Coordinates of all heavy atoms in Angstrom, one line a residue:
Y523 N -55.5 37.0 43.6 CA -54.6 36.1 44.3 C -55.3 34.8 45.1 O -54.7 33.8 45.1 CB -53.8 36.9 45.3 CG -52.7 37.7 44.8 CD1 -52.1 38.7 45.6 CD2 -52.4 37.8 43.4 CE1 -51.1 39.5 45.1 CE2 -51.4 38.6 42.9 CZ -50.8 39.5 43.8 OH -49.8 40.3 43.2
V524 N -56.5 35.0 45.4 CA -57.3 34.0 46.0 C -57.5 32.9 44.9 O -57.5 31.7 45.1 CB -58.6 34.6 46.4 CG1 -59.5 33.5 46.9 CG2 -58.3 35.5 47.8
I525 N -58.0 33.4 43.6 CA -58.2 32.5 42.5 C -56.9 31.8 42.2 O -56.9 30.5 41.9 CB -58.7 33.3 41.4 CG1 -60.2 33.9 41.7 CG2 -58.8 32.3 40.1 CD1 -60.6 34.9 40.5
R526 N -55.9 32.3 42.2 CA -54.5 31.8 41.9 C -54.2 30.7 43.0 O -53.8 29.5 42.5 CB -53.4 33.0 42.0 CG -52.0 32.3 41.4 CD -50.9 32.2 42.6 NE -50.7 33.6 43.2 CZ -49.7 34.4 42.8 NH1 -49.0 34.1 41.9 NH2 -49.5 35.6 43.4
A527 N -54.5 30.9 44.2 CA -54.3 30.0 45.2 C -55.4 28.8 45.0 O -54.7 27.6 45.2 CB -54.5 30.6 46.5
M528 N -56.5 29.0 44.6 CA -57.4 27.9 44.3 C -57.0 27.0 43.2 O -57.0 25.8 43.2 CB -58.8 28.5 44.0 CG -59.5 29.2 45.1 SD -61.0 30.1 44.5 CE -61.8 28.8 43.6
G529 N -56.4 27.8 42.1 CA -55.9 26.8 41.0 C -54.6 26.2 41.4 O -54.6 25.0 41.0
G530 N -53.8 26.7 42.2 CA -52.7 25.9 42.8 C -53.1 24.7 43.6 O -52.4 23.6 43.5
A531 N -54.1 24.9 44.4 CA -54.6 23.8 45.2 C -55.0 22.7 44.4 O -54.9 21.4 44.8 CB -55.7 24.3 46.2
L532 N -55.8 23.0 43.3 CA -56.3 21.9 42.4 C -55.2 21.2 41.8 O -55.2 19.9 41.4 CB -57.2 22.6 41.3 CG -58.7 23.0 41.8 CD1 -59.3 23.7 40.7 CD2 -59.5 21.8 42.4
F533 N -54.2 21.9 41.3 CA -52.9 21.3 40.7 C -52.4 20.4 41.7 O -51.8 19.3 41.3 CB -52.0 22.4 40.1 CG -50.9 21.8 39.3 CD1 -51.0 21.6 37.9 CD2 -49.7 21.5 39.8 CE1 -50.1 21.2 37.1 CE2 -48.6 21.0 38.9 CZ -48.8 20.8 37.6
L534 N -52.1 20.8 42.9 CA -51.6 19.9 44.0 C -52.4 18.6 44.2 O -51.9 17.6 44.4 CB -51.4 20.8 45.2 CG -50.9 19.9 46.6 CD1 -49.5 19.3 46.3 CD2 -50.9 20.8 47.7
A535 N -53.8 18.9 44.3 CA -54.7 17.8 44.4 C -54.4 16.7 43.3 O -54.5 15.5 43.6 CB -56.1 18.3 44.5
G536 N -54.4 17.2 42.1 CA -54.2 16.2 41.0 C -52.8 15.5 41.2 O -52.8 14.2 40.9
A537 N -51.8 16.1 41.7 CA -50.5 15.5 41.8 C -50.6 14.5 42.9 O -50.0 13.4 42.9 CB -49.4 16.5 42.1
L538 N -51.4 14.7 44.0 CA -51.6 13.8 45.1 C -52.1 12.5 44.6 O -52.0 11.3 45.0 CB -52.3 14.3 46.2 CG -51.5 15.6 47.0 CD1 -52.4 16.2 47.9 CD2 -50.4 14.8 47.8
L539 N -53.2 12.7 43.7 CA -53.8 11.6 43.0 C -52.8 10.7 42.3 O -52.9 9.4 42.4 CB -54.9 12.0 42.0 CG -56.2 12.5 42.6 CD1 -57.2 12.8 41.5 CD2 -56.9 11.4 43.4
M540 N -51.9 11.3 41.7 CA -50.8 10.6 40.9 C -50.0 9.9 41.9 O -49.6 8.6 41.6 CB -49.9 11.6 40.2 CG -48.7 10.9 39.5 SD -47.6 12.0 38.7 CE -46.7 12.8 40.2
V541 N -49.6 10.4 43.1 CA -48.9 9.7 44.1 C -49.6 8.3 44.5 O -49.0 7.4 44.6 CB -48.6 10.6 45.2 CG1 -47.9 9.9 46.4 CG2 -47.7 11.8 44.8
W542 N -50.8 8.5 44.8 CA -51.7 7.4 45.2 C -51.6 6.3 44.1 O -51.5 5.0 44.4 CB -53.1 7.8 45.6 CG -53.9 6.5 45.8 CD1 -55.0 6.2 44.9 CD2 -53.9 5.7 47.0 NE1 -55.6 5.0 45.6 CE2 -54.9 4.6 46.8 CE3 -53.1 5.4 48.1 CZ2 -55.3 3.7 47.6 CZ3 -53.4 4.5 48.9 CH2 -54.4 3.5 48.8
N543 N -51.8 6.7 42.8 CA -52.0 5.8 41.7 C -50.5 5.1 41.6 O -50.4 3.9 41.3 CB -52.1 6.5 40.4 CG -52.7 5.8 39.4 OD1 -52.9 4.5 39.5 ND2 -53.1 6.5 38.3
L544 N -49.4 5.9 41.7 CA -48.2 5.1 41.5 C -48.0 4.3 42.6 O -47.2 3.2 42.5 CB -47.0 6.3 41.3 CG -47.2 7.2 40.1 CD1 -46.1 8.4 40.2 CD2 -47.1 6.5 38.8
W545 N -48.1 4.6 43.8 CA -48.0 3.8 45.1 C -48.7 2.4 44.9 O -48.2 1.4 45.0 CB -48.4 4.5 46.3 CG -48.4 3.7 47.5 CD1 -49.3 2.8 48.0 CD2 -47.3 3.5 48.4 NE1 -48.9 2.2 49.2 CE2 -47.6 2.6 49.5 CE3 -45.9 3.9 48.4 CZ2 -46.7 2.2 50.4 CZ3 -45.1 3.6 49.4 CH2 -45.5 2.8 50.3
Q546 N -49.8 2.5 44.4 CA -50.8 1.3 44.2 C -50.1 0.5 43.1 O -50.3 -0.7 43.0 CB -52.2 1.6 43.9 CG -52.9 2.2 45.1 CD -53.0 1.2 46.1 OE1 -52.3 1.1 47.1 NE2 -54.0 0.2 46.1
T547 N -49.6 1.2 42.0 CA -49.1 0.5 40.8 C -47.9 -0.4 41.3 O -47.7 -1.6 40.9 CB -48.5 1.5 39.8 OG1 -49.5 2.2 39.3 CG2 -47.8 0.8 38.7
V548 N -47.0 0.2 42.2 CA -45.8 -0.6 42.6 C -46.0 -1.6 43.5 O -45.6 -2.8 43.6 CB -44.7 0.4 43.3 CG1 -43.6 -0.3 43.9 CG2 -44.3 1.4 42.2
N549 N -47.0 -1.4 44.4 CA -47.5 -2.2 45.6 C -48.5 -3.2 45.3 O -48.7 -4.3 45.9 CB -47.6 -1.5 46.9 CG -46.4 -0.8 47.4 OD1 -45.6 -1.5 47.9 ND2 -46.3 0.6 47.1
A550 N -49.5 -2.8 44.5 CA -50.6 -3.7 44.3 C -51.1 -3.9 42.8 O -52.1 -4.5 42.4 CB -51.9 -3.0 45.0
G551 N -50.2 -3.4 42.0 CA -50.5 -3.5 40.5 C -50.3 -4.8 40.0 O -49.4 -5.6 40.5
E552 N -50.9 -5.2 38.9 CA -50.7 -6.5 38.2 C -49.3 -6.7 37.7 O -48.8 -5.7 36.9 CB -51.8 -6.7 37.2 CG -53.2 -6.7 37.8 CD -54.2 -7.0 36.5 OE1 -53.8 -7.5 35.5 OE2 -55.2 -6.6 36.7
P553 N -48.6 -7.7 37.9 CA -47.3 -7.9 37.3 C -47.4 -7.9 35.8 O -48.4 -8.4 35.2 CB -46.8 -9.3 37.8 CG -47.7 -9.5 39.0 CD -49.0 -8.9 38.8
E554 N -46.4 -7.3 35.2 CA -46.3 -7.3 33.8 C -44.8 -7.3 33.3 O -44.0 -6.6 34.0 CB -46.9 -6.1 33.2 CG -47.0 -5.9 31.7 CD -47.7 -4.8 31.1 OE1 -47.4 -3.7 31.5 OE2 -48.8 -4.9 30.5
P555 N -44.4 -8.1 32.4 CA -43.0 -8.1 31.9 C -42.5 -6.6 31.7 O -43.3 -6.0 31.0 CB -43.0 -9.1 30.7 CG -44.2 -9.9 30.9 CD -45.2 -9.0 31.6
A556 N -41.3 -6.3 32.2 CA -40.8 -5.0 31.8 C -40.8 -4.7 30.3 O -40.4 -5.6 29.6 CB -39.4 -5.0 32.4
L557 N -41.2 -3.6 29.9 CA -41.2 -3.3 28.6 C -39.8 -3.0 28.1 O -38.9 -2.5 28.7 CB -42.1 -2.0 28.3 CG -43.5 -2.3 28.7 CD1 -44.3 -0.9 28.4 CD2 -44.2 -3.4 27.9
T558 N -39.5 -3.2 26.8 CA -38.3 -3.0 26.2 C -38.6 -2.0 25.1 O -38.5 -2.4 23.8 CB -37.6 -4.2 25.7 OG1 -38.3 -4.9 24.8 CG2 -37.1 -4.9 26.8
P559 N -38.9 -0.7 25.2 CA -39.3 0.2 24.1 C -38.1 0.3 23.2 O -37.0 0.6 23.5 CB -39.6 1.5 24.9 CG -39.0 1.4 26.1 CD -39.0 0.0 26.5
R560 N -38.5 0.3 21.8 CA -37.5 0.6 20.8 C -38.2 1.5 19.8 O -39.2 1.5 19.4 CB -36.9 -0.6 20.2 CG -36.2 -1.5 21.0 CD -35.6 -2.7 20.4 NE -34.7 -2.3 19.4 CZ -34.0 -3.0 18.4 NH1 -34.4 -4.3 18.3 NH2 -33.2 -2.6 17.5
L561 N -37.4 2.5 19.3 CA -38.0 3.5 18.3 C -37.5 3.3 17.0 O -36.2 2.8 16.9 CB -37.5 4.9 18.8 CG -38.3 5.4 20.2 CD1 -37.8 6.8 20.5 CD2 -39.8 5.3 20.1

Side-chain angles (χ1 to χ4, degrees):
Y523 285 175
V524 173
I525 296 171
R526 189 244 302 263
M528 290 170 54
L532 288 172
F533 192 82
L534 174 61
L538 289 172
L539 284 180
M540 179 186 73
V541 172
W542 171 251
N543 201 358
L544 297 178
W545 175 267
Q546 289 296 97
T547 298
V548 173
N549 292 283
E552 298 178 24
E554 185 176 58
L557 300 178
T558 55
R560 294 185 65 186
L561 296 179

